[in-house]
Amino acid sequence: MATKFDAVEARKRQKEAAKKKERKDGVGRIYPVVGITNSGYIKLAHNGLLFYADVFEPKSFDLFELSVDDADQIESELWGLHQQYPGSIKELYMNFPETNQRQQTYFRRKIEQTRNPIYLELLQHDLAVLKQLEKTYRKLSSWIWFFGDSVPELERNLELARHASTLYTFERAGLAEKEKMLQMMNNPEVSVSETEEA
């Protein structure tokens, strides 16, 4: 005897449709990246309008090393930045891959220069540890995005942000970091090491 309505099957179909819609409404629609300009600004498009963004990494502080007054000063400057800055600021927190190429280069140079076999073995071990860390380790990083409707407006906004704070500072992210970040945001199910190997 065939049933006309199967509640279990209907529920499965609803869940599958919801999953498809969820994937469709993913980060790719939230951050509709068109490209990166020659100046290193991220070019975005939404509803036919172009706008630009730049990404910065805020200076990190060891709270155990700071006095209470210094920590309060940094917090008040961050709050002041948000109050004084007229444009849109987005703070993004991601588990970002470890990058230690500078350290690896240092160890490679030391390996080439050393004549001591025991020291050589130690250096090779440390280099292998750095390579493994780069493949597997993720650290929570924060990033600040500043936006503008045009490149000149974005540059004016960035200048305003730089003058808003003396203690709470930030450094511009490199092109490779921006590309890696956008790839991670738009393809969260694929690890960065998988895409680098492909």
Side-chain angles (χ1 to χ4, degrees), residues 146-166:
F146 294 97
F147 297 89
D149 291 333
S150 63
V151 171
E153 181 183 326
L154 175 61
E155 289 172 346
R156 279 192 308 274
N157 290 345
L158 293 175
E159 199 59 35
L160 283 170
R162 282 190 192 100
H163 292 301
S165 177
T166 55

Side-chain angles (χ1 to χ4, degrees), residues 11-197:
R11 185 72 172 160
K12 280 183 185 177
R13 283 194 300 274
Q14 282 180 337
K15 284 184 179 180
E16 287 175 14
K19 282 183 183 177
K20 285 181 185 177
K21 183 179 183 339
E22 189 176 302
R23 271 188 242 123
K24 191 176 176 182
D25 292 338
V27 177
R29 285 190 57 195
I30 298 169
Y31 290 98
V33 177
V34 176
I36 297 178
T37 67
N38 292 336
S39 305
Y41 300 131
I42 299 171
K43 192 176 186 180
L44 304 152
H46 183 65
N47 290 338
L49 299 173
L50 284 177
F51 56 101
Y52 298 85
D54 205 0
V55 182
F56 290 83
E57 182 176 13
K59 181 181 177 186
S60 57
F61 295 93
D62 186 354
L63 295 177
F64 293 109
E65 297 288 324
L66 292 176
S67 68
V68 174
D69 292 337
D70 289 342
D72 288 344
Q73 179 68 27
I74 292 168
E75 185 179 332
S76 67
E77 284 198 12
L78 174 59
W79 180 240
L81 169 68
H82 282 278
Q83 287 178 322
Q84 295 172 17
Y85 183 75
S88 179
I89 299 175
K90 302 292 181 209
E91 293 184 55
L92 176 70
Y93 296 89
M94 298 180 71
N95 286 327
F96 211 67
E98 171 74 18
T99 54
N100 57 28
Q101 285 300 314
R102 288 177 57 199
Q103 291 92 339
Q104 287 185 36
T105 303
Y106 171 78
F107 277 101
R108 284 190 194 99
R109 190 173 68 238
K110 285 294 191 185
I111 287 170
E112 291 171 3
Q113 295 172 350
T114 190
R115 302 287 178 246
N116 183 341
I118 296 170
Y119 189 54
L120 177 65
E121 187 177 326
L122 180 67
L123 289 171
Q124 288 173 335
H125 175 266
D126 288 345
L127 180 61
V129 168
L130 285 174
K131 287 180 179 179
Q132 184 63 24
L133 276 175
E134 197 170 48
K135 284 183 182 177
T136 59
Y137 183 72
R138 299 282 187 261
K139 63 180 179 182
L140 182 64
S141 300
S142 64
W143 304 91
I144 300 175
W145 287 55
F146 294 97
F147 297 89
D149 291 333
S150 63
V151 171
E153 181 183 326
L154 175 61
E155 289 172 346
R156 279 192 308 274
N157 290 345
L158 293 175
E159 199 59 35
L160 283 170
R162 282 190 192 100
H163 292 301
S165 177
T166 55
L167 279 177
Y168 184 77
T169 58
F170 30 86
E171 186 177 318
R172 189 173 188 203
L175 187 60
E177 287 176 316
K178 290 177 189 177
E179 288 175 351
K180 195 178 287 188
M181 181 186 310
L182 292 169
Q183 188 275 328
M184 288 172 61
M185 287 169 41
N186 289 321
N187 299 312
E189 64 277 350
V190 179
S191 74
V192 174
S193 59
E194 288 176 24
T195 58
E196 289 173 351
E197 291 171 2

